Amino acid sequence: MIELQGNRYVRIVGQQSADRGVTAPSDYVEAGAGSRHATPELPPTVLIFRDGHREQVPEYAIVGSTIYASGDYWQSGHWTKNIQLSALNIPATMQANRDKGVKFTLPSAPNEVITRP
């Protein structure tokens, strides 16, 4: 069961939902500077194209032979950009990301989907 407590919704589980008098632990992380559960900022992935130009992509999904790269419309002019894997220089892209310590993997089978972050 989900219940509004204060200004947040929390999940009530097990016996707690039957005992409505028991305060349930919240299942969210408090926002704040000292949060232990903050996700570290990942460096962007570098894509090197066959024509030599480079693009940095912070978030993407690879489905089939297409990379769906997320973008900020106000900065890049698109929310999602479709990039064909065949347009990339794969060995150079792999090496550039390896040098930066960024994990970049390609699907190993047609039905595999790769996501980042």
Side-chain angles (χ1 to χ4, degrees):
M1 178 171 82
I2 297 176
E3 181 178 82
L4 180 62
Q5 292 182 358
N7 63 348
R8 297 191 185 263
Y9 287 95
V10 295
R11 185 179 338 206
I12 309 296
V13 292
Q15 186 61 31
Q16 293 172 346
S17 62
D19 293 344
R20 306 276 284 154
V22 177
T23 304
S26 62
D27 63 346
Y28 62 87
V29 176
E30 288 286 343
S35 178
R36 297 182 318 212
H37 302 288
T39 306
E41 186 72 26
L42 295 174
T45 300
V46 176
L47 302 177
I48 302 175
F49 289 78
R50 290 181 183 261
D51 64 3
H53 84 276
R54 296 172 173 238
E55 287 187 27
Q56 293 188 350
V57 179
E59 297 177 4
Y60 64 86
I62 303 175
V63 180
S65 63
T66 305
I67 297 177
Y68 298 94
S70 298
D72 181 357
Y73 182 80
W74 309 113
Q75 292 180 352
S76 62
H78 62 83
W79 292 118
T80 303
K81 183 175 185 178
N82 301 349
I83 303 167
Q84 294 300 312
L85 286 174
S86 61
L88 297 180
N89 180 340
I90 299 294
T93 298
M94 300 289 281
Q95 185 62 45
N97 287 296
R98 193 175 309 120
D99 292 346
K100 288 176 48 179
V102 175
K103 182 179 177 185
F104 179 74
T105 57
L106 295 172
S108 60
N111 59 348
E112 183 179 11
V113 175
I114 304 290
T115 61
R116 183 176 193 245

